Amino acid sequence: MYKKILVPLDGSSLAEAALPHAQKLAKSENAEIVILRIPMTPNERLFSRNILTGSKITKEIEEESKAYIKAELLKLSGRGTMVSGITRDGPVAETILAVA
């Protein structure tokens, strides 16, 4: 019935608590878990005095998000689960709906 199961993660233990349930469902349905991370990047206009600082902070946050997804992929794939991960920018609720 299920082919893909979308699991949005924000890095919190509360969000990660959904993973064992998603994994159990994915295994029973032979489905793939898709992990989604939406980094909370600051508006670069907040750094109007030094735009390079804003760009650097934004890049660091995006890199952290990608590293987080990679770590979660390794954990789940090591447990025999089909899993993929993506990061997207944008308003959280709207982005989750767009990906779904």
Side-chain angles (χ1 to χ4, degrees):
M1 180 178 202
Y2 297 103
K3 293 183 181 179
K4 293 186 178 190
I5 301 166
L6 180 62
V7 182
L9 295 179
D10 62 6
S12 70
S13 58
L14 182 61
E16 290 173 0
L19 285 172
H21 304 289
Q23 186 175 23
K24 185 176 180 180
L25 181 60
K27 284 186 176 184
S28 71
E29 297 288 328
N30 197 30
E32 175 186 6
I33 293 175
V34 179
I35 297 173
L36 170 64
R37 180 74 183 254
I38 304 166
M40 300 300 291
T41 55
N43 184 329
E44 292 181 9
R45 286 184 278 161
L46 294 175
F47 300 97
S48 61
R49 289 188 178 172
N50 189 342
I51 299 217
L52 292 177
T53 300
S55 295
K56 181 180 176 187
I57 291 171
T58 299
K59 185 176 180 179
E60 288 172 0
I61 291 170
E62 290 170 352
E63 288 174 1
E64 182 277 329
S65 292
K66 289 177 184 175
Y68 174 80
I69 290 288
K70 185 176 180 179
E72 292 302 319
L73 292 176
L74 287 173
K75 285 183 210 174
L76 291 171
S77 63
R79 298 179 189 146
T81 304
M82 292 185 296
V83 62
S84 63
I86 54 176
T87 60
R88 293 287 187 270
D89 290 324
V92 176
E94 292 88 345
T95 304
I96 291 170
L97 289 172
V99 170

